Amino acid sequence: MSEQKKPLIDEEGLRTDGRKIDEFRPITITLGYLRHADGSVLYQQGKCKIIAAVFGPSEVHPKHIELPDRAILRVRYHMAPFSVEERKSPAPSRREIELSMVIRNSLEPVIMTELFPRTVIDIFIEVLQADGGTRVAGLTAATLALADAGIPMRGLVAGCATGKVEGKVVVDLNDIEDKEGEADMPVAYIPTLNKISLLQMDGIMTRDEFKEALSMGINSCMKIYQMQVSALKSKYGQVEAQAKEEE
Ligand code: UDP
């Protein structure tokens, strides 16, 4: 007798990890996680574990690629070989090269690159453990590492995926939902500019489902944004208080 497959959403409307359809995974933000980077974070969203590190603005090598009016943004999204079920080659894949570009394009509207002409800002996103939604989690983490490095920005970028699983619009798909669901739609939003900076879709949704997914995605991004702000306030609030004490 063939084994019955476990549903992705049960009769009570709960998902494989016990979440409701509009609930994202628990998030933990550890700012300044690395000693040698100018800014860094360990970002955990459920089972996803991602480190983002920022260096710069620094001198450009080779010199001829520098830009006279702004800083170059260099982004590397990389998955560690042990981050996925089947060992991944450490060499950058086409997917990683594309995601590095997608993340760079999503960060560009907020970073005040015009303040640092002829320099480069390097952003490294290292996925230590993947469980779906790593591009948006990586983007959220990169934004935090940039803020931690003191790079001036017009706002923060917060990302969260939405999609469709067993006919229902859900938020923050995990790996199994991403692979077995009907659609996956990563969304990133910049609350201070009221702009969407990333919107991709893999799969099929109706127009109404798309609208619902987008509004659910923006809603989650807003909540993640509040978490970014509160993590930054709690670290830099302490630094400020310490500086005042020393005065
Ligand atoms: N994945 C994998 N091996 C790879 C790339 C991806 O196992 O080389 C898994 C991983 O869990 C990832 C998921 O597939 O999170 C979904 O990948 P996708 O390209 O949709 O990006 P993501 O949802 O992580 O942004």
Side-chain angles (χ1 to χ4, degrees), residues 1-2 19 23 52 61-62 78 91 131 135 139 152 180 194 207 209 219 227 235:
M1 211 166 67
S2 71
R19 283 182 291 150
E23 202 179 329
H61 299 290
H78 182 250
D131 187 33
R135 74 193 63 195
L139 176 55
E180 293 182 15
N194 188 24
R207 194 184 283 246
E209 284 164 351
N219 234 317
M227 293 168 129
K235 180 175 176 193

Side-chain angles (χ1 to χ4, degrees), residues 77 79 84 88 95 130-135 175 178-179 184:
Y77 162 99
M79 270 183 157
V84 284
K88 190 204 141 281
R95 173 183 173 273
D131 187 33
T134 60
R135 74 193 63 195
D175 194 33
D178 184 328
K179 292 201 170 112
D184 174 33

Side-chain angles (χ1 to χ4, degrees), residues 90-120:
S93 63
R94 281 181 62 167
R95 173 183 173 273
E96 287 168 301
I97 294 166
E98 187 199 321
L99 290 190
S100 301
M101 185 198 73
V102 165
I103 294 172
R104 192 194 67 221
N105 291 347
S106 312
L107 287 169
E108 231 157 22
V110 294
I111 305 176
M112 296 181 170
T113 50
E114 68 279 10
L115 298 179
F116 307 101
R118 301 183 192 283
T119 66
V120 59

Side-chain angles (χ1 to χ4, degrees), residues 137-151:
L139 176 55
T140 308
T143 311
L144 284 161
L146 283 160
D148 192 46
I151 307 286

Side-chain angles (χ1 to χ4, degrees), residues 44-55:
Q44 293 170 264
Q45 186 160 349
K47 290 186 187 135
C48 285
K49 293 186 183 176
I50 298 175
I51 284 181
V54 168
F55 286 95

